[in-house]
Every structure is written in C-alpha cells, then in structure tokens.
Amino acid sequence: MTLDLSLTRDLLTALLPELMLTGWALVLLVVVAWRHRTGGDLRVAGGIALAAFATTAAVVWWLWWNSAAAQGYAPMIAVDDFRFISDWLFLGTGALTVLLSMRYLEREALLAPEYYVLLLFSVLGMMLMGGGSDLMVVFLGLELMSVSVYVLAGINRKSPKAAEAALKYFLLGAFASAFLLYGIALVYGATGTTNLALIGAQVTSLHLEHGTLLLIGLALLLVGFAFKVAAVPFHMWAPDVYDGAPTPVTGFMATAVKAAAFAALFRVLGQAFATTVAWHQIVSALAVATMVGGNLVALAQRSLKRMLAYSSIAHAGYVLVAVAAGNASGSAAFLFYLVAYTLTTLAAFALLAVKGRGGESDVLIDDLSGLATERPWLAFALAVCMLSLLGFPGTAGFMGKWYILVAAAQSAQWWLAALLVLTSVVSAGYYLPVIMVMYMRPAPSAAAHADVRLGRLAGAAVTLAVVGLLFFGIRPNRLLDLSAAGAESLRTPTAAAVAPPGN
Amino acid sequence: MLLGPALAVSAVLFTIGVAGVLIRRNAIVIFMCVELMLNAVNLTFVALAQRLGVSGQIFVFFVMAVAAAEAAVGLAIILAIYRHRETVDLGKINLLKG
C-alpha cells in the first residue's frame, strides 16, 4: 500500500494509529471525569486503557501487514518498519504497565484513574517520537510524553518523596528540552528545514559536514537526548526520580521513556546526520562514560530500586555502543536490545513493586533473604531477570549484548567492545548478590514474605515477560530479522530526500 | 537584516538561562530561567524566519503552547512540594540522595 501523504485521505491513514490512541485517550478522559471515586472505577479505566492499546496495536499491525510506505514530498511522519516496530514496543510496554498498575494503585489507595489517561498520552508522545520524521514533530512528541510522565511521577500526592521526584524530573526535563529545542533551531538555521530527510540532503549538497552552526546544533541535540536517556554525565536526575516515583511508573520510565528517546535519537542521527561524522566520537565517549559510571556506582547500592536505577543507566551505555557502531548490524542489535531490556526491566520492577508495599518503604537487597523458599516462583522470575540483565547465556539479555558486541567489532570499535565485556563482568557484582540472597540465606522470620502477593494480572504480565525473555534467549532469529528489517527501513532514503527544500 | 545581532542576543539570553538554572536554588527562579531559555529559542526562530520563510514563525507558536503546558504542570508540582515541605528551596529538599 503506497500512501501519497499530500492527500488528506492517505495522510489520515498513515496517522491512523496515533488518531486512534488520541480518540481513546479523550474518551477515557471523559469517562474518568464522571467515574473516579472507587476501586471499581479504577478497574474500568484500566480496562479501557488496555482496549486502547490493543486496538491501536491492531491498527499498527494492519498498516504493517499492508506494507504501507510513503511517497512524494518529504512527509512529517515516517511510514516504515522502524516506526511500526517501535510503536509495538511502546504499546506493549504501556499495556504491561497497565497490568502491573491495577493492583498497585488500589493497594496504595491511589484512587486517580487519570493515571491511565496520562499513560495513554505519554505512549502517544512516544509513538510520535518514534515515527516523527521532522524535528518539530519529534520535539512535540517528546514534550507530550515528558509532561505526562512528570505528572505520573508525582501522582502519589500523599508522598513527599514522590513530590520531590516529580519536581526534580520536571526541572531537569524542562532544562533538557530547552537544549534540544535550541539544537533544533540552530539546525534549522544551518539547513533551512526541520525535515530529517531534507536536512540529510542539504548537509550533503551544501557540504555542511563541518559547518559551525550545524555542529553546535547537533551537539545541543545530543545533550538534550543524553538527558532523556540518562547517559553519564547527564544522569544525575535518574536515580532520585526512579527512587521517588511509584514503582510501576519507575518501570515505565526506565523502559518505554528511555526506548522512545533512543528511537528518536537513532532516527535523527541515521536520517539527518548520516554523513556528519562528528557525532560518532561524541556518542562513543558518552557510551564509555555511561557504561563505566553506571556500573561502578550500582555496585555501591544497598536499595534494590536504586540499584535497578543505576543498572538502567549502565544499560543505556550498552545501547549507546550500538548507536555508535553506526552500521547495519548495530541498528538491528539496537532494536533487539531495546526489546530484551524492556521486558527484563519491566518484570524486575513489577516484582519489586509487590515487595515494596506499605508506603514505598525502601527495599534493601538483604530484605529478599529466603524469598526462594517462601515464594519460589517469584524468586525464580526475579532470578531470570537478574541473569538477563547480566547477560547470561540462554536469556534475551545475552543475545542482545552479543549482537551489540558483534556490531561494535564489525565497525572496529575494539575499545567499546572490550569495555562492554569488562563492565558486564563488573555488573555481576551487583546482580548476583540478589540471587544469592534469595536462594542461600534463610528468611529472617517466618512472616517476612507473608504479604508478598503478585495478583493475577501482574502475575500474567510477569509470566509473559519472563517467558518472552527465555524464548528470545533461545530462539532470537525471528525477532532479529524483524529488527534488521526495521533498521534497514531507516537507511534506505525515501523518494522524498530527492525533492529540493522549499526555500 | 540584523540576523547576526539577533542570533547573538538569543545566544546570550540562552546562556543567562542556563547559568540561572545551574546557580540558583529556588525552584520558581529555576523554572523562570528555563522559560527564559525557551524564549531565547523563540527569538532565534523569529530571527531565522526572515531568511528561511514563515515556518520559523509558526514554530514559535508550537513552542509557546508547549511552554504553557509545562508551566501549568510545573507550577502544580511546585505547589505540591510546597504543601509537603513549606519551602521551594532545592537545597532543603533532600529526601532523595543522589
């Protein structure tokens, strides 16, 4: 199916997933305006959110199945496999987050069904980030996502910690957005356009590879994105915000928000700045700092939530290696790793949410002692997550790291490859103690884990994630093929890139 | 006409905003500095619009809408923290240790 995006009908078809989700979000907004008092209302809102994600995913699948492609003048929204795969990733993460949140919200007495509305809007923002082929669309998507997540981080109004987390996230997030926007303005000044394909064409035709204005703009763009993915040295907000936010929201932030920022970064660098070599070194340096910094500080953490926060910083470093590799296998590894990382981290935070009950008291790693005898399945799931984060063979995390390693080796980035292996070894120093404590220490008292219950929906979500992890760890081929196809669709320039900019 | 000076002024304004965010400790003042940064970018867009066509001016409307949404959410968050701590001084808001 070829879409001519200058026709309204075809444009609406291309935007159908986003329009669908917007419609659902508005419907849900009206519903919760009338029903927002009881736990039952919360469940209704959650059900509607799940239906929204399911139908939107079906529409994305329909476009994908018909191999929709755009033609004609450079569009503002991309119609390619990369967009469809990342849309599925965001929608899936959103749906899993809904499943994890249902019981959690009732347990913590957070009777705010607006939670699900904000979740829908933030996923909508992510879809625009993954699909936007214009810097302005990427920026608006990023803001839609960020503003929704600022509120989600502080949704627990009774908790001073959540308020503090929301404040820090908001101030630093807005600060980072301003950098990103200034970068967009300067790139616009240098090339006269904000369309990614046209920027790429202008850079080649005007020989702007070393133009000052363009390079400053690119650097500011990278700073903005580095803040959003929490790359060292722009990571200071992440541990505090992850610690203070409600645990399902933390899981959502550590996975979907990060994945969306990475998807946008990847598209911007790949389509607009493919011929500008300057960013390779900057991204490599960020990757080195992030891998080393994240892993070393994670070693010192006693609290499970903070440890996972630093671990998610370290994983951003591994993904940056795939971005820095800049070749075809790097792009495929990038998408594969995002899927593996998202499944693992979301499951880990879901398990943490059931343990950390009663007003978000800190869960120390030692608090898990003896979990394996009391709750063998929970302990098993958490152990699988830790092994996958570590990159143990047989899990999706291993395959992801392996592909990134191959990509780095192929582009002769030996330092990055060596550092990735070394820091992964270091990370065993904080992932394995969790497993050791669960399986080798006795529970402090018989009732220590008595109130640890996952609930049916969250249980289903965690089971799905863990089965997925093990499945992709043993049979990664199908997912890798999809990722490679998605990455390839970014590299083949569309017909639009040929059209001259309109100024 | 006057493109260079306009870009220079907006760069200076942006830098003042960055410096304010990094130096000041009052949440409201930091927020105002972020707004200053966004408006510096608006000035850049308007200045560039003389050369590059009307799209630069249209971007300004998007940025203003985004800044308004951020202001609404941001002030609500600052209000929420004031209710808990009775201060908006970031030096005294330290439950979470980075």
Side-chain angles (χ1 to χ4, degrees):
Chain A
M1 173 169 61
T2 315
L3 299 172
D4 180 1
L5 296 187
S6 57
L7 301 177
T8 312
R9 192 171 149 275
D10 283 7
L11 185 62
L12 289 182
T13 313
L15 284 172
L16 203 54
E18 281 80 3
L19 292 175
M20 184 84 139
L21 199 58
T22 314
W24 275 109
L26 294 177
V27 166
L28 185 55
L29 197 58
V30 173
V31 169
V32 302
W34 294 100
R35 306 194 46 175
H36 53 111
R37 298 200 196 285
T38 63
D41 297 343
L42 212 51
R43 282 191 291 275
V44 168
I48 295 178
L50 275 183
F53 287 131
T55 46
T56 311
V59 172
V60 173
W61 181 81
W62 174 76
L63 281 177
W64 199 357
W65 183 252
N66 287 306
S67 50
Q71 63 157 20
Y73 188 71
M76 287 196 138
I77 189 97
V79 188
D80 55 18
D81 284 3
F82 186 82
R83 172 178 163 209
F84 299 142
I85 294 175
S86 48
D87 278 359
W88 263 67
L89 178 63
F90 305 144
L91 291 166
T93 316
L96 286 178
T97 311
V98 172
L99 290 178
L100 304 179
S101 307
M102 290 246 202
R103 196 181 154 90
Y104 180 91
L105 292 181
E106 281 186 57
R107 199 188 72 196
E108 300 285 330
L110 285 173
L111 290 179
E114 292 82 3
Y115 179 94
Y116 296 113
V117 180
L118 291 166
L119 206 59
L120 289 185
F121 276 121
S122 66
V123 170
L124 179 62
M126 290 169 192
M127 288 168 67
L128 288 174
M129 285 172 78
S133 64
D134 187 289
L135 284 174
M136 259 351 244
V137 175
V138 170
F139 173 72
L140 291 176
L142 182 117
E143 282 299 319
L144 180 56
M145 174 190 84
S146 302
V147 171
S148 310
V149 178
Y150 300 148
V151 183
L152 280 179
I155 194 102
N156 190 353
R157 283 189 299 162
K158 294 180 292 275
S159 154
K161 271 179 134 181
E164 186 177 329
L167 179 69
K168 285 184 174 167
Y169 192 35
F170 165 71
L171 287 179
L172 285 170
F175 187 53
S177 303
F179 273 99
L180 190 80
L181 189 65
Y182 200 32
I184 293 174
L186 293 187
V187 170
Y188 169 69
T191 60
T193 173
T194 50
N195 188 286
L196 296 181
L198 294 183
I199 291 173
Q202 285 283 72
V203 169
T204 336
S205 63
L206 299 179
H207 302 290
L208 288 171
E209 287 88 353
H210 301 289
T212 322
L213 203 56
L214 186 84
L215 288 185
I216 297 176
L218 177 59
L220 288 169
L221 276 180
L222 284 176
V223 169
F225 278 119
F227 259 109
K228 290 290 170 192
V229 301
V232 177
F234 307 105
H235 69 292
M236 306 78 66
W237 58 273
D240 281 359
V241 173
Y242 288 3
D243 197 2
T247 309
V249 177
T250 309
F252 185 67
M253 284 198 286
T255 54
V257 171
K258 205 170 256 205
F262 266 121
L265 173 69
F266 204 72
R267 187 185 282 281
V268 169
L269 290 182
Q271 289 194 330
F273 299 103
T275 53
T276 317
V277 286
W279 60 265
H280 285 104
Q281 281 182 349
I282 303 178
V283 173
S284 304
L286 279 177
V288 169
T290 310
M291 284 192 290
V292 173
N295 277 305
L296 289 185
V297 186
L299 277 178
Q301 302 304 318
R302 307 301 311 145
S303 149
L304 195 56
K305 210 170 171 184
R306 289 191 85 87
M307 186 274 271
L308 282 173
Y310 279 104
S311 126
S312 88
I313 294 176
H315 281 270
Y318 305 146
V319 181
L320 281 173
V321 173
V323 177
N327 51 12
S329 46
S331 322
F334 168 81
L335 276 176
F336 186 93
Y337 197 85
L338 278 189
V339 174
Y341 164 78
T342 299
L343 283 178
T344 317
T345 308
L346 209 58
F349 275 108
L351 295 165
L352 175 62
V354 289
K355 181 65 190 152
R357 63 179 303 150
E360 288 295 302
S361 57
D362 274 345
V363 183
L364 302 184
I365 294 176
D366 293 334
D367 290 347
L368 296 175
S369 320
L371 190 67
T373 46
E374 303 281 323
R375 295 275 180 272
W377 286 106
L378 272 184
F380 173 73
L382 192 54
V384 171
C385 290
M386 290 299 136
L387 289 176
S388 176
L389 285 173
L390 173 58
F392 198 77
T395 59
F398 170 75
M399 296 316 296
K401 264 187 196 163
W402 171 253
Y403 290 135
I404 292 184
L405 211 54
V406 169
Q410 273 178 3
S411 64
Q413 310 250 27
W414 302 109
W415 273 104
L416 284 181
L419 209 60
L420 195 156
V421 175
L422 278 178
T423 47
S424 294
V425 173
V426 170
S427 72
Y430 56 91
Y431 289 134
L432 292 184
V434 175
I435 300 178
M436 196 190 75
V437 160
M438 287 192 301
Y439 280 90
M440 296 181 187
R441 292 235 192 102
S445 65
H449 304 299
D451 55 353
V452 177
R453 283 250 184 278
L454 198 50
R456 240 181 318 156
L457 287 175
V462 170
T463 314
L464 207 66
V466 170
V467 169
L469 280 184
L470 294 173
F471 178 76
F472 291 133
I474 297 161
R475 289 191 60 85
N477 306 19
R478 183 94 185 92
L479 180 60
L480 188 72
D481 287 346
L482 279 183
S483 314
E488 201 48 46
S489 71
L490 264 192
R491 303 182 145 260
T492 43
T494 47
V498 185
N503 63 312
Chain B
M1 103 198 156
L2 285 182
L3 181 60
L7 288 185
V9 169
S10 64
V12 169
L13 280 178
F14 190 83
T15 316
I16 293 173
V18 173
V21 171
L22 295 179
I23 293 167
R24 299 300 296 266
R25 292 292 65 167
N26 184 308
I28 302 222
V29 176
I30 292 181
F31 179 57
M32 283 161 63
C33 289
V34 171
E35 292 290 310
L36 183 61
M37 289 163 71
L38 290 179
N39 282 317
V41 178
N42 278 346
L43 183 55
T44 311
F45 273 130
V46 172
L48 289 171
Q50 314 173 48
R51 289 278 175 85
L52 301 173
V54 76
S55 56
Q57 295 187 8
I58 293 169
F59 294 153
V60 172
F61 287 103
F62 287 121
V63 177
M64 278 159 62
V66 163
E70 270 189 353
V73 165
L75 291 177
I77 290 175
I78 293 175
L79 205 61
I81 197 116
Y82 184 77
R83 288 212 175 123
H84 281 293
R85 309 298 306 270
E86 305 221 323
T87 175
V88 288
D89 187 340
L90 289 192
K92 292 183 188 138
I93 298 173
N94 50 8
L95 285 177
L96 304 161
K97 274 282 170 216

